[in-house]
Amino acid sequence: MTFMAVNHVLIGISGGIAAYKVCEVVSSLAKRGVEVRVILTRSAAEFVTPLTFATLSRQPAYTDADFWQPINGRPLHIELAEWADVFLLAPVTANTLAKLAYGMADNLLTNTVLASSCPILFAPAMNTTMWLQPTVQENWQKLLKDSRYTAIAPTDGILACDAVGTGRMAEPEIILEYLESFLFTQGKRDLQGKKILVNAGGTREFIDPVRFIGNPSTGKQGIAIAKAAIHRGATVTLITTSNSPLPMGEAPPSVRVVRTSAEMHQVMLEEFPFADITIAAAAVGDVRSKITSDRKLPKSELPLNLELEYIPDIVADLSKRKRPDQILVGFAAQTGTEQEVMVAAKDKLIRKGLDAIAANAVNSSQTGFGTDTNQATFINKDGKFLSTPLCSKLELAHRLLDFLL
């Protein structure tokens, strides 16, 4: 994460076994220089002690016993509420979910929620049967309608009670990504109601079942774009060459895994008509072998002169089918000088009939394939452009979405 060091994150913990996962969240934030403060309910302190969170955050951890102990002469819940840039509630139990839905304030945590005005990120966790109760679902849906709240939906799996189903709190990595997005967007959900189609990863053009022509793309940037869109409330479809799980968000995303350019082309054509914004971040192959085998070829049978053919251009094909209300965005992964990268990107923008393009140099150890950071220049068809600083791929994704909106 590259833009969190000056921010204040307040974390409220309810009494569930998933409280142990929040230790990693607090530790990770503190190690990155983020100021973190923690509030525990009385039952939360039965699972993880306040001392643990105080040690991990390098700050005091507060409980109901501290309610009437002022900070700087001011009530504790007011001071904490005004201090926070983002309020993370994790885990949120059925009891706390009900209190939040109805504006109840009977402990330090819920009083601080009502006294705060910052965006709130909340991650429920409970037994599957409890989660599926109509009253719990009603409270869940009620909070989703509140613009201050953004949900990190529970996932499926084996729960602490040995039940199998929905109710697991999101993993720390997912929560940290949401926080990174929140601290950049301030919790805005400006893509609610929008359908975003993204492709990601490098295609493989097979010569036989074990040999292929490919490229080093890992799909990290495309996956980051899909995550950023989910964090902002979009309904997302990701077409990827790797099976990459996405956060559930408010609308469950669709992930379709492909291998070859032909498979990706077909699936993109199927999904494109439903998309408001399509971002083609995949590194699709340019050529493939004219002859392929359905069995592994012995070394002696491998052709030393491989006859190739061009692969149909997916983005150019989508451009021909684009409606006026759709936005189509491409990526230009180039090598060379900054000027050479820009010239190639502008050529692709015009030649392929795109609405915008992201030009990025891949001949750098910090912006090449497989890196966690990236830098790009965005250009639209009207000539507007924006260059980003070197940043995380999630931040770059948000900057691209801001450029398009």
Side-chain angles (χ1 to χ4, degrees):
M1 288 175 286
T2 59
F3 49 81
M4 298 179 64
V6 298
N7 294 111
H8 298 161
V9 176
L10 182 60
I11 300 180
I13 304 172
S14 301
I17 186 61
Y20 81 91
K21 293 183 179 180
V22 187
C23 294
E24 184 176 341
V25 175
V26 172
S27 178
S28 295
L29 291 172
K31 287 175 181 176
R32 288 165 171 81
V34 181
E35 289 192 50
V36 186
R37 295 183 183 178
V38 176
I39 301 172
L40 297 95
T41 65
R42 183 176 303 158
S43 55
E46 297 292 327
F47 289 93
V48 183
T49 67
L51 177 60
T52 299
F53 287 110
T55 303
L56 294 174
S57 67
R58 288 71 158 172
Q59 297 281 349
Y62 303 99
T63 67
D64 287 349
D66 303 304
F67 201 135
W68 305 110
Q69 303 301 317
I71 297 181
N72 300 323
R74 306 181 71 217
L76 178 59
H77 64 292
I78 303 297
E79 186 73 11
L80 290 174
E82 294 180 357
W83 172 86
D85 293 315
V86 169
F87 204 159
L88 168 67
L89 305 176
V92 172
T93 60
N95 185 47
T96 298
L97 184 65
K99 292 178 183 179
L100 296 172
Y102 286 92
M104 295 176 63
D106 64 349
N107 57 22
L108 176 59
L109 175 56
T110 50
N111 271 273
T112 307
V113 169
L114 292 189
S116 66
S117 58
C118 63
I120 295 176
L121 190 61
F122 72 108
M126 64 194 76
N127 166 270
T128 301
T129 304
M130 296 172 68
W131 172 249
L132 295 177
Q133 290 294 332
T135 51
V136 173
Q137 288 301 303
E138 181 181 333
N139 293 336
W140 163 253
Q141 294 300 325
K142 188 173 182 178
L143 275 191
L144 292 182
K145 294 176 183 177
D146 189 325
S147 60
R148 278 192 69 202
Y149 288 87
T150 295
I152 308 178
T155 61
D156 296 339
I158 301 176
L159 309 183
C161 58
D162 294 329
V164 178
T166 303
R168 285 177 58 89
M169 190 179 81
E171 296 304 313
E173 179 183 356
I174 299 295
I175 294 174
L176 287 165
E177 288 175 341
Y178 261 100
L179 282 171
E180 181 177 358
S181 288
F182 246 53
L183 291 170
F184 186 83
T185 66
Q186 290 303 297
K188 62 185 177 185
R189 301 209 296 274
D190 49 359
L191 290 178
Q192 275 188 314
K194 296 290 185 181
K195 295 181 179 179
I196 310 297
L197 174 61
V198 183
N199 66 9
T203 59
R204 297 180 174 188
E205 311 308 325
F206 286 88
I207 299 166
D208 65 16
V210 298
R211 301 180 181 95
F212 59 86
I213 301 170
N215 61 67
S217 174
T218 59
K220 286 184 177 181
Q221 185 60 74
I223 293 167
I225 293 168
K227 289 177 178 178
I230 291 170
H231 295 167
R232 293 167 78 147
T235 300
V236 171
T237 298
L238 174 65
I239 314 302
T240 177
T241 56
S242 62
N243 193 3
S244 304
L246 293 178
M248 293 303 293
E250 296 173 23
S254 171
V255 179
R256 300 185 66 176
V257 180
V258 298
R259 295 190 305 167
T260 67
S261 59
E263 291 171 355
M264 182 169 284
H265 200 150
Q266 179 61 39
V267 176
M268 291 294 288
L269 289 177
E270 292 172 8
E271 298 289 350
F272 183 66
F274 308 104
D276 297 301
I277 301 174
T278 297
I279 302 176
V284 180
D286 295 307
V287 294
R288 62 191 172 201
S289 173
K290 278 191 173 182
I291 299 174
T292 61
S293 172
D294 59 4
R295 66 180 181 91
K296 180 184 176 183
L297 296 173
K299 185 176 180 179
S300 60
E301 293 183 24
L302 285 172
L304 295 181
N305 297 306
L306 193 62
E307 190 174 3
L308 304 175
E309 63 181 4
Y310 287 114
I311 293 171
D313 193 310
I314 298 175
V315 174
D317 194 7
L318 296 178
S319 177
K320 296 174 185 176
R321 303 163 186 259
K322 186 173 75 70
R323 302 187 307 269
D325 62 313
Q326 291 180 298
I327 295 173
L328 178 59
V329 183
F331 264 71
Q334 301 292 143
T335 60
T337 65
E338 182 179 351
Q339 182 178 0
E340 290 170 333
V341 170
M342 290 296 289
V343 168
K346 289 177 181 178
D347 174 68
K348 286 186 177 183
L349 174 71
I350 296 169
R351 178 165 44 85
K352 297 189 179 187
L354 303 175
D355 295 296
I357 196 164
N360 72 294
V362 294
N363 55 329
S364 164
S365 61
Q366 294 179 297
T367 62
F369 293 119
T371 62
D372 293 322
T373 55
N374 207 352
Q375 187 277 330
T377 298
F378 309 137
I379 314 165
N380 71 11
K381 61 183 179 182
D382 298 322
K384 176 186 174 183
F385 70 93
L386 174 70
S387 293
T388 74
L390 181 69
C391 58
S392 72
K393 289 188 171 178
L394 186 59
E395 179 179 348
L396 189 137
H398 281 294
R399 289 182 181 273
L400 174 58
L401 292 173
D402 283 345
F403 182 77
L404 299 175
L405 297 177

